[in-house]
Amino acid sequence: MFSLPPGDLSLYLHIPMCKSRCSYCGFYSEPTAVWEGRVASYTERLVSEIDQLGTRDAPFYTLYIGGGDPANLTVENLRLLLTAAQRQGRPREVTVEVNPESFDESFFPLFEERLVTRLSMGIQTMDQALLSVIGRRTTAADNRRALSLAQEARARYGVDLSIDLMVALPNQTAAGAIRDIETVLSLCEAEHLSLYCLTVEEGTALARQVQDGTVTVADEDGQEAFLRSLWAHLHGLGFEHYEVSNFAKNGRYSRHNCVYWSLDDYLGLGSGAASTIGSFHWQQNQDLIGYTEANPFDGYEKEETDTWEQAEEYLMMALRTTWGIDKVRFFERFGLDFDRMFSKAVARCEPTWYIDSAQNFAITEDGWMVLDEILVRLVMEIP
Ligand code: SF4
């Protein structure tokens, strides 16, 4: 059983069910043959874990149902999860991820009842040829239809929209990626965009294609050129670049993801889900069938981290955001003086990579281009 903290806590529910595998995907997710016939038992176990969470009487701060493609659960099962997770009251934000090909009007009652306040959709690209290259099941026509429906949900029920796009795809040009952004925004008024470069994960179909030469992906310089022109374009459209890969209009940040980037407490339930509560991490086995057959709370591996490890994790997460590190809070939280600890490493960084004041240390867009390099320099200073 998890020991729940008295303060704010977010909840993440993981639904690792996909209809087919995208060629670049390195996430844990199971194909239809594994999960079909198990959506009810998977939902039941999640609901029983939520119900047995103990004497918590406050609403979750945020709730996020992600995957995989949670739409595979069906609207009825999603409703069971959403209701169970909101018995103690409404979270500040409730996000559900869906794949475009799975999204239709049957989801609208969830918005109408305010069980869901934010819809996150993985569009990736509007280019049919590129969708095929990265092995997406969805078509460009699916993407168009789903974006128009999402816009309808936004207009009718005030749902916030977040759209994921991938860039630096094989043979894609920066102009083509900008065209994707323009097309998406012509179909829906998304207030949040996530922009990821295609990366080659070991063991994926894409990795094999790159190895045998059938697909070529952009190198680091190519990716940087892409990102620079797309970031500039999004600034021009009024989006705030508030995290390395995330953009928001009118302060509509992903509150749930901000919890991760602040290393605040969140509980993750479901096969493959991770949690962080105080100095503890939990990780559930990546075994969807095992999850449906075991007792509630079986299979969550617990690990304790010390202050140094927490400070390192915090650096890696917080420096992804435009707010960076609040030095006073860093001291209150970890008992560490940021300037005393990191000033030598900071001095070895290019001045254009960061903004350093008495109160804060944050990375600039120039710095985000070399974030890993900066993090290595800082982390080396942690004993
Ligand atoms: S839909 Fe998402 S989780 Fe499923 S295979 Fe594609 S990238 Fe992976």
Side-chain angles (χ1 to χ4, degrees), residues 16-29 67-69 97 99 101 124 135-136:
M17 302 174 182
C18 291
K19 291 200 181 76
S20 59
R21 193 124 186 107
C22 308
S23 69
Y24 56 88
C25 182
F27 301 118
Y28 170 62
S29 166
D69 179 8
E97 280 179 5
N99 275 11
E101 72 275 13
Q124 315 314 355
R136 294 287 287 177

Side-chain angles (χ1 to χ4, degrees), residues 69-90:
D69 179 8
N72 286 322
L73 273 190
T74 73
V75 175
E76 293 67 33
N77 288 308
L78 277 174
R79 181 191 296 283
L80 291 174
L81 290 182
L82 289 161
T83 308
Q86 300 185 59
R87 285 200 228 290
Q88 271 70 36
R90 297 291 165 127

